[in-house]
Amino acid sequence: MRVLIGSIVLAALVSAGPVLAAGAKSERPKSACFRPDDVNGFTVIDDRTVDVTISPKNVYRLTLFSPSPDIDWSLRIGIYSRGRSWVCSGYDAEIIVPEATGRRRYPVTEVRKLTPEELAAEKKK
């Protein structure tokens, strides 16, 4: 009887696997992620929000865990990716801000790709 129940459970898992995998892939499309090496510019929105530019049509808004009063004065920042080469969501990355005594790290809590409408509105400012 145990073998029969185990076989049924195994068959159900095998048949559900592709459905579950397809659902997981559709939640976060590849375009919603970026590689830190591809960042070629940044704009400080406020002390907790930074837009990073990959290309003119690919800008990502990063929300920081805590305020960064020194990021507005920085000429450059670094992005450290935690454990993977892609940044897709909050807690995947940290913003590194150089300062006179070393550097400060600010964990990212949210990553969001800006829509074309948001990009057009930013250009008008």
Side-chain angles (χ1 to χ4, degrees), residues 2 4-5 8-9 14 22 38 40 46 49 52 55 59 66 81-82 85-86 88-89 91 96-97 102-103 105 116 119:
R2 288 184 185 178
L4 179 61
I5 292 172
I8 292 171
V9 170
V14 168
D38 294 337
N40 61 28
D46 58 37
T49 311
V52 293
S55 69
V59 177
S66 61
S81 175
R82 296 183 190 180
S85 59
W86 291 90
C88 298
S89 64
Y91 305 105
I96 301 169
V97 179
R103 59 184 170 209
R105 293 176 174 259
L119 290 172

Side-chain angles (χ1 to χ4, degrees), residues 17-33:
V19 173
L20 294 174
K25 287 181 184 176
S26 65
E27 288 178 22
R28 180 154 307 270
K30 191 67 158 178
S31 64
C33 303

Side-chain angles (χ1 to χ4, degrees), residues 60-112:
Y60 294 84
R61 180 153 291 165
L62 308 179
T63 304
L64 306 180
F65 176 73
S66 61
S68 167
D70 52 349
I71 199 167
D72 196 25
W73 300 98
S74 184
L75 298 176
R76 60 190 171 109
I77 62 171
I79 299 177
Y80 172 73
S81 175
R82 296 183 190 180
R84 57 175 75 165
S85 59
W86 291 90
V87 174
C88 298
S89 64
Y91 305 105
D92 279 350
E94 293 179 337
I95 298 276
I96 301 169
V97 179
E99 57 181 26
T101 59
R103 59 184 170 209
R104 292 194 130 171
R105 293 176 174 259
Y106 298 95
V108 175
T109 59
E110 182 182 352
V111 175
R112 184 176 64 83

